Amino acid sequence: MPFIKIYIHIVFSTKNRVSYFNTPNLRVKVWKHIKENAFQKGIHLDMVNGYSDHCHCLVSLSSHQNIEKVVQLLKGESSHWINKNQLTPEKFAWQAEYLAVSVSESKIDLVRNYIKNQEMHHQKKIFMEEYQEFMDKYGFKV
């Protein structure tokens, strides 16, 4: 049995960054569902939260998982569930792109706290500002 501890911070937004999750109750419902679905699929989703137009996930990958497949499972199933339950006024979809960065063991609590405090964080900063900061911090070129 392999012993693996690889944490990934994943961020993805709604298609066209539409603010579908504009109430705390709806956000809680969606994040709870994503967490439950991850558990059913054998994905260790340590933390999930977000704001009206995006989602943050802290995932610990196992030996048989890769980032692309995990993101596909989280986004695909949640889109289907959101549409099946008519939680948005129009057809829901996540944006195709996503951001994923590794997280050092020493920074796990910092990332958990950052994800946990999305509501407060986005009182000061819109998602595009946050996204650009991630792009700059991690040296991603578009």
Side-chain angles (χ1 to χ4, degrees), residues 66-107:
N66 66 57
I67 297 166
E68 181 180 18
K69 187 65 174 172
V70 166
V71 171
Q72 178 187 28
L73 289 170
L74 295 175
K75 288 169 55 178
E77 194 285 335
S78 60
S79 288
H80 175 76
W81 180 81
I82 289 165
N83 286 319
K84 183 178 90 172
N85 289 286
Q86 300 176 336
L87 299 180
T88 58
E90 56 195 49
K91 186 173 179 184
F92 177 81
W94 294 108
Q95 190 121 331
E97 66 184 26
Y98 61 91
L99 186 143
V101 294
S102 61
V103 179
S104 167
E105 182 73 23
S106 65
K107 301 290 183 189

Side-chain angles (χ1 to χ4, degrees), residues 19-38:
S19 294
Y20 286 116
F21 310 130
N22 50 15
T23 67
N25 285 343
L26 180 55
R27 287 194 286 274
V28 167
K29 190 175 196 173
V30 172
W31 311 149
K32 182 177 185 259
H33 177 78
I34 289 173
K35 180 90 171 170
E36 289 168 353
N37 174 58

Side-chain angles (χ1 to χ4, degrees), residues 12-28 30-31 49-56 82 87-89 92-94 118-123 125-128 130:
F12 46 91
S13 72
T14 60
K15 189 169 186 174
N16 300 319
R17 295 185 177 87
V18 176
S19 294
Y20 286 116
F21 310 130
N22 50 15
T23 67
N25 285 343
L26 180 55
R27 287 194 286 274
V28 167
V30 172
W31 311 149
N49 200 4
Y51 202 57
S52 62
D53 60 352
H54 69 285
C55 181
H56 289 259
I82 289 165
L87 299 180
T88 58
F92 177 81
W94 294 108
Q118 283 293 294
E119 192 89 23
M120 183 175 48
H121 178 71
H122 287 290
Q123 300 307 311
K125 190 179 299 188
I126 64 170
F127 174 65
M128 284 310 295
E130 177 185 48

